[in-house]
């Protein structure tokens, strides 16, 4: 019953053929929501990835992502980084609070994130969630190798040492 109001374009099936629906097909449409095709490419890639993995593969990559996050959490905690939620295991991501490091050295979460770029790592999300002071949201993907995780730990160790020794 809501189909007449859908945004356009969307795909219509006519027999064995497909085409884009337009205003002539949907006179009550709310129109376009964003640029042509919106995030269709992102959705298609996600769909294809999920289909290629299948149910067993989806469970496996979820387990790998969880294992990677917990491994990093343990290693970074051992280096002196503070988990924002101590005692809680990571699901596929975890949050560190750099408040102590910032108070001690003046080096902020943003500084650490930018320094990670110098070590060839994509900067993690900073300052989210907002209730955690000076936080880094770290989310290793399911495809990261142990070597890459260890390289990330080494980079974080180097950055912490730099912050303490020569802020």
């Amino acid at each position: 019953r809501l189909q007449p109001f859908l945004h356009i374009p969307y795909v219509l099936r006519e027999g064995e053929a497909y085409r884009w629906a337009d205003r002539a097909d949907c006179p009550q449409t709310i129109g376009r929501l964003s640029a042509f095709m919106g995030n269709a490419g992102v959705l298609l890639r996600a769909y294809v990835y999920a289909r290629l993995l299948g149910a067993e593969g989806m469970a496996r990559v979820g387990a790998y992502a969880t294992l990677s996050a917990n491994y990093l959490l343990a290693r970074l905690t051992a280096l002196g980084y503070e988990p924002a939620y101590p005692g809680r295991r990571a699901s596929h991501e975890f949050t560190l609070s750099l408040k102590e490091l910032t108070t001690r050295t003046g080096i902020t979460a943003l500084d650490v994130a930018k320094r990670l770029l110098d070590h060839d790592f994509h900067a993690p999300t900073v300052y989210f969630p907002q209730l955690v002071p000076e936080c880094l949201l770290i989310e290793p993907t399911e495809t990261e190798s142990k070597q890459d995780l260890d390289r990330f730990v080494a980079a974080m160790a180097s950055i912490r040492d730099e912050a303490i020794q020569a802020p």
Side-chain angles (χ1 to χ4, degrees):
R1 70 185 169 90
L2 296 177
Q3 186 175 0
F5 306 102
L6 283 176
H7 61 85
I8 55 171
Y10 64 87
V11 178
L12 281 178
R13 183 176 183 175
E14 294 178 336
E16 294 300 312
Y18 297 88
R19 67 177 181 84
W20 291 115
D22 58 23
R23 284 201 183 274
D25 300 304
C26 320
Q28 293 178 294
T29 182
I30 61 171
R32 293 182 188 273
L33 293 182
S34 62
F36 180 69
M37 292 178 47
N39 61 354
V42 172
L43 296 175
L44 181 61
R45 282 190 291 278
Y47 175 74
V48 169
Y49 181 64
R51 290 298 304 251
L52 287 171
L53 288 174
E56 184 180 312
M58 289 293 278
R60 188 174 58 249
V61 298
Y64 286 152
T66 301
L67 179 63
S68 295
N70 281 285
Y71 176 73
L72 283 183
L73 177 60
R75 294 285 312 273
L76 294 174
T77 300
L79 290 176
Y81 287 98
E82 294 180 29
Y85 305 102
R88 187 187 290 181
R89 77 172 188 86
S91 52
H92 66 286
E93 65 186 9
F94 61 94
T95 306
L96 298 176
S97 174
L98 302 186
K99 183 179 181 189
E100 180 273 329
L101 185 67
T102 302
T103 301
R104 182 174 169 188
T105 66
I107 300 299
T108 66
L110 182 60
D111 295 329
V112 172
K114 285 184 174 185
R115 189 69 176 112
L116 277 167
L117 296 171
D118 297 330
H119 288 268
D120 295 325
F121 285 100
H122 187 279
T125 300
V126 293
Y127 305 118
F128 180 83
Q130 292 181 347
L131 57 100
V132 177
E134 294 300 323
C135 72
L136 291 177
L137 178 63
I138 299 181
E139 185 173 12
T141 67
E142 68 276 3
T143 59
E144 298 296 339
S145 68
K146 183 171 181 303
Q147 293 79 17
D148 282 340
L149 297 176
D150 289 338
R151 200 168 60 81
F152 181 79
V153 170
M156 290 292 284
S158 172
I159 292 167
R160 183 171 174 81
D161 289 345
E162 282 178 330
I164 292 169
Q165 294 172 10

